Structure formats: structure tokens, C-alpha cells
Amino acid sequence: MSKKLTKNRKKILEKINKNKKYSLEEASILLKEISFVKFDASVDISVHLNIDTRNPNQMVRGTVRLPHGTGRNVCILALVTKNKELEAKEAGADYVGLNYLEKIKSGWLDIDVIVAMPSVMDQLSSVGKILGPRGLMPNPQMDTVSMNPVNSIKEIKSGKISFKTDRYGIIHASIGRASFNSQYISNNVKAIMNKITRSKPSSSKGSYIKSIYLSTSMSSSILVDSKSFINK
């Protein structure tokens, strides 16, 4: 098995010119050629921004609806009042109810996103130290704290994702699957990059985007030339 992977890895490395910035169209096509795993690999984007992460005013975060979704089922826990539980379930929430807070305390975290109503947020303080480090704490800026949880759930299920910079000023996000055609990948990249570009902090000076890389699960990354599609 290891020899087969080594051969595939060599083939991949031969296809990628590390000294080249690929256009988005070229990168989207190449991604499909370098995915050698047997499962439907995730397509990921890494965007390095020229921001000062020590300055709270320069942290970049937000949400964006990918036109073709992520290609995977996002598991949602809805923490809502009793009268909203049935609506949340019908909207597509996988788990519903404040009783799941006790399960979280016991180590249960088989979820990708938590959507909560503002009125129940005080009850989440007991699990804040568990959810916070894992990026699961509901946040109004991510549209996961909402007076209309039904709408939030539907949007997330239809391809809405959240993003934020890490301590190095890099945004990491999954924006599709290797089974997507290259145009779907390109469209999803354009959607998230347009939102990131519009989210530039007013206090950030100079060139905002340092680099954009695309990759699939276990593949090498491809450097993308932002000038090939941003502001077009």
C-alpha cells in the first residue's frame, strides 16, 4: 500500500509546478487530477491575509453561501426553546433540544454546527470551555445565534459556511468535494473569496491577500493567482 501511495505522490508532484501561480481555472482542473484517495476527498482553501491578528479590529470572520454547497451533510444541533423544537427538526436540524447540553458535558460532540436562540445562550455558559476551543460556540457574527433559527438551519444545510482567521492570519475552509466538476469548484472559490475581499478591515494597510492555496484531502497544495479572478 505504501509503495502505491509513494507512486501516486510522485505523480502528483510531477504535475504541480511549485514555482507557478495557477489561474483559478487551471487549479480547479488540476485538483481533480491530483486526488488519489479512494473516498470523495474534501476540497479545501487556505487564504493567508495581511492582517495584524493582535489587533481585534483586524480579525476577519463571516459567513458565505456557496453556490454549489460543500458536498457533505452538515450535522446541526439546534438549541432552541420548546415551542421551536418541532420547527427546527422540520427545517433539517439533526439534533434538537437543550437536553443535549448534558450530553456535551459528558463528551458528546458528534456535530459540526450549533444553532442557538439568543434566549438560551446563558445556558451555554456551562459548556463554553468545551465548545469554544472547537469552534462550536454559537456566534451572532456567524449567524448561528438567531431569532429565526429555522432560517439559519435551512441556510447552513443548503451550503452556507462560516470562516474566520486563525492566529496566523489564515482562513481555512472546506469548499467542496473532489467529485465536483471544475466549474463548481471555481464558483465556490469565487464566492468565498468575494466575501473575504469585501471583509477587509479598514485598518489593514497594503496588499490584503498574501496567498491562496487549494488542496484536496492528502494532496499537495496548489498556489492560486488571485489576480486571475478577483475583481473580475
Side-chain angles (χ1 to χ4, degrees):
M1 184 69 176
S2 59
K3 287 184 178 180
K4 184 176 181 181
L5 289 177
T6 300
K7 288 180 180 179
N8 284 324
R9 179 68 66 181
K10 287 180 178 178
K11 290 179 181 178
I12 289 170
L13 293 176
E14 288 172 358
K15 283 180 174 290
I16 300 174
N17 182 348
K18 290 293 184 180
N19 298 316
K20 176 181 178 178
K21 282 188 177 182
Y22 290 86
S23 69
L24 178 57
E25 181 181 357
E26 291 173 326
S28 299
I29 294 172
L30 184 56
L31 271 179
K32 297 177 65 61
E33 296 178 0
I34 65 173
S35 180
F36 61 88
V37 292
K38 293 184 178 180
F39 55 89
D40 192 7
S42 168
V43 174
D44 304 313
I45 189 169
S46 296
V47 185
H48 193 180
L49 302 178
N50 181 29
I51 58 173
D52 182 359
T53 56
R54 297 168 298 180
N55 183 346
N57 294 327
Q58 290 198 24
M59 293 301 290
V60 177
R61 62 168 60 195
T63 61
V64 62
R65 186 182 181 282
L66 301 176
H68 306 292
T70 61
R72 61 186 288 266
N73 178 49
V74 179
C75 189
I76 300 176
L77 166 62
L79 299 177
V80 297
T81 52
K82 278 286 185 182
N83 63 316
K84 291 288 184 180
E85 287 185 359
L86 180 58
E87 291 180 45
K89 191 68 176 178
E90 291 176 344
D94 301 272
Y95 304 99
V96 178
L98 294 169
N99 57 302
Y100 280 95
L101 292 177
E102 290 302 317
K103 292 194 68 174
I104 290 172
K105 290 178 185 177
S106 301
W108 178 82
L109 281 174
D110 298 333
I111 46 176
D112 300 306
V113 178
I114 297 176
V115 172
M117 295 177 66
S119 58
V120 307
M121 283 301 292
D122 286 347
Q123 299 183 56
L124 271 68
S125 59
S126 61
V127 293
K129 291 183 178 179
I130 299 173
L131 301 179
R134 293 167 176 80
L136 289 172
M137 194 68 179
N139 188 311
Q141 290 180 295
M142 301 295 191
D143 295 333
T144 48
V145 176
S146 173
M147 290 291 293
N148 188 349
V150 167
N151 186 59
S152 296
I153 292 165
K154 288 180 178 178
E155 287 187 338
I156 293 169
K157 284 290 186 177
S158 66
K160 189 175 187 178
I161 64 168
S162 60
F163 61 86
K164 66 177 180 178
T165 47
D166 62 16
R167 59 177 177 167
Y168 303 108
I170 302 173
I171 290 173
H172 302 279
S174 176
I175 50 89
R177 314 300 289 184
S179 59
F180 283 16
N181 64 47
S182 59
Q183 190 60 56
Y184 278 20
I185 294 171
S186 293
N187 290 344
N188 279 358
V189 170
K190 289 176 182 177
I192 189 171
M193 287 307 306
N194 284 340
K195 186 60 181 287
I196 291 172
T197 301
R198 293 198 303 271
S199 301
K200 179 181 179 179
S202 57
S203 56
S204 175
K205 306 301 179 183
S207 179
Y208 177 48
I209 298 172
K210 287 186 175 181
S211 64
I212 304 170
Y213 282 92
L214 290 177
S215 63
T216 63
S217 305
M218 298 177 68
S219 80
S220 298
S221 56
I222 301 170
L223 179 60
V224 181
D225 184 2
S226 62
K227 294 178 182 178
S228 71
F229 67 96
I230 291 181
N231 296 324
K232 284 191 175 183

